[in-house]
């Protein structure tokens, strides 16, 4: 199984600051089609996760430009600029290149 | 806009079968580049992929569930289902259905169902 490792696991931030979350995979996530199938999800307390970023750097419809994803191979980053109160919750990376199984990082709690 | 509505019992007895259904609305479960997924989240923990199925019924599962799981699709009812057999307390979790394209796997989640395994 591909192991996904996130850092940090807890991220205290001040409103208006920039938050950065790292995600490493135990194998390269580059698929034969050249894409890295790495998603980022945000889960608010008591809610279902919502996808923010797909294929490492593509923002989903309706996701603010403050959210950006980058990386390739085994090293990926989610950056949130000008953090707002609504951004609190847990952020997960997920790899969809090597399956089964699809695997997730442990989650990073933004507080 | 495709919506997912989950249904099923919130309490299952140990050794019995956990059965959940995810009803797809606003689109066809048979649409070409689609994948239909079940995941779970143990209380206060992270996310675990249970398995997924293509519209054809070709399903793939998490090896950690050791052959206890089956995901099926009913195109006539536009829904897909999860059966988890011989459950124990360790299967207590919030179960989510989800959808997505075959490459990215998941782009939208259902509302989740907390299933408790207890006598």
């Amino acid at each position: 199984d591909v192991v996904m490792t996130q850092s940090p696991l807890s991220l205290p931030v001040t409103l208006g600051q920039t938050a950065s979350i790292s995600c490493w995979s135990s194998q390269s996530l580059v698929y034969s089609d050249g894409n890295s199938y790495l998603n980022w999800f945000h889960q608010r307390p008591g809610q279902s996760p919502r996808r923010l970023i797909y294929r490492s750097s593509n923002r989903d419809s309706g996701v603010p430009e403050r959210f950006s994803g980058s990386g390739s191979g085994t090293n990926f980053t989610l950056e949130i600029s000008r953090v707002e109160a609504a951004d609190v919750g847990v952020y997960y990376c997920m790899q969809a290149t090597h399956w089964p199984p699809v695997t997730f990082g442990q989650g990073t709690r933004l507080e | 806009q495709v919506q997912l509505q989950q249904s099923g019992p919130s309490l299952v007895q140990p050794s019995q079968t956990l059965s959940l259904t995810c009803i797809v609305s606003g689109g066809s479960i048979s649409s070409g580049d689609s994948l239909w997924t079940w995941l779970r989240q143990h209380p206060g923990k992270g996310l675990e992929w249970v398995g997924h199925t293509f519209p054809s019924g070709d399903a793939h599962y998490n090896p950690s569930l050791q052959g206890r799981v089956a995901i099926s699709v009913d195109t006539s009812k536009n829904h897909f289902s999860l059966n988890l057999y011989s459950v124990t307390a360790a299967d207590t979790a919030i179960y989510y259905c989800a959808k997505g394209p075959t490459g990215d796997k998941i782009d939208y989640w259902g509302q989740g169902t907390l299933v408790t395994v207890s006598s």
Side-chain angles (χ1 to χ4, degrees):
Chain A
D1 299 0
V2 175
V3 177
M4 304 299 292
T5 304
Q6 290 183 229
S7 178
L9 299 184
S10 178
L11 183 55
V13 293
T14 302
L15 296 179
Q17 284 190 332
T18 296
S20 182
I21 301 170
S22 296
C23 174
W24 292 273
S25 57
S26 59
Q27 299 177 36
S28 173
L29 299 186
V30 179
Y31 191 58
S32 54
D33 62 4
N35 290 308
S36 290
Y37 288 99
L38 187 284
N39 295 327
W40 287 98
F41 296 91
H42 175 214
Q43 186 177 33
R44 294 190 177 101
Q47 295 187 14
S48 303
R50 173 198 181 194
R51 195 178 71 176
L52 303 173
I53 301 286
Y54 62 97
R55 270 170 261 161
S56 177
S57 60
N58 297 276
R59 232 181 347 263
D60 271 281
S61 175
V63 174
E65 290 183 6
R66 302 185 295 105
F67 292 85
S68 63
S70 63
S72 64
T74 61
N75 196 346
F76 302 88
T77 301
L78 176 69
E79 191 167 280
I80 311 167
S81 60
R82 303 183 303 281
V83 168
E84 300 180 357
D87 299 336
V88 299
V90 183
Y91 291 82
Y92 295 94
C93 60
M94 182 204 94
Q95 71 82 21
T97 296
H98 304 287
W99 60 275
V102 168
T103 50
F104 290 84
Q106 317 97 301
T108 295
R109 185 173 300 277
L110 187 74
E111 48 196 22
Chain B
Q1 177 86 0
V2 173
Q3 300 289 318
L4 305 175
Q5 180 65 43
Q6 298 178 218
S7 64
S10 58
L11 181 65
V12 180
Q13 296 205 340
S15 80
Q16 299 302 301
T17 298
L18 181 160
S19 296
L20 295 172
T21 295
C22 186
I23 300 169
V24 179
S25 60
S28 172
I29 202 169
S30 300
S31 61
D33 182 33
S34 59
L35 200 58
W36 306 96
T37 300
W38 286 98
L39 308 101
R40 67 182 184 179
Q41 186 171 35
H42 292 100
K45 302 297 184 183
L47 298 164
E48 179 183 22
W49 179 80
V50 172
H52 63 221
T53 184
F54 293 88
S56 63
D58 178 25
H60 303 264
Y61 306 115
N62 194 323
S64 70
L65 292 169
Q66 300 174 322
R68 295 194 296 126
V69 61
I71 296 173
S72 59
V73 61
D74 188 331
T75 55
S76 65
K77 295 181 180 178
N78 220 41
H79 73 213
F80 63 108
S81 301
L82 168 69
N83 282 310
L84 184 62
Y85 306 105
S86 304
V87 298
T88 70
D91 294 310
T92 293
I94 300 172
Y95 286 78
Y96 295 99
C97 63
K99 72 165 198 68
T102 54
D104 304 300
K105 303 297 183 292
I106 298 171
D107 63 7
Y108 182 75
W109 300 60
Q111 82 274 21
T113 301
L114 174 60
V115 180
T116 302
V117 178
S118 174
S119 56

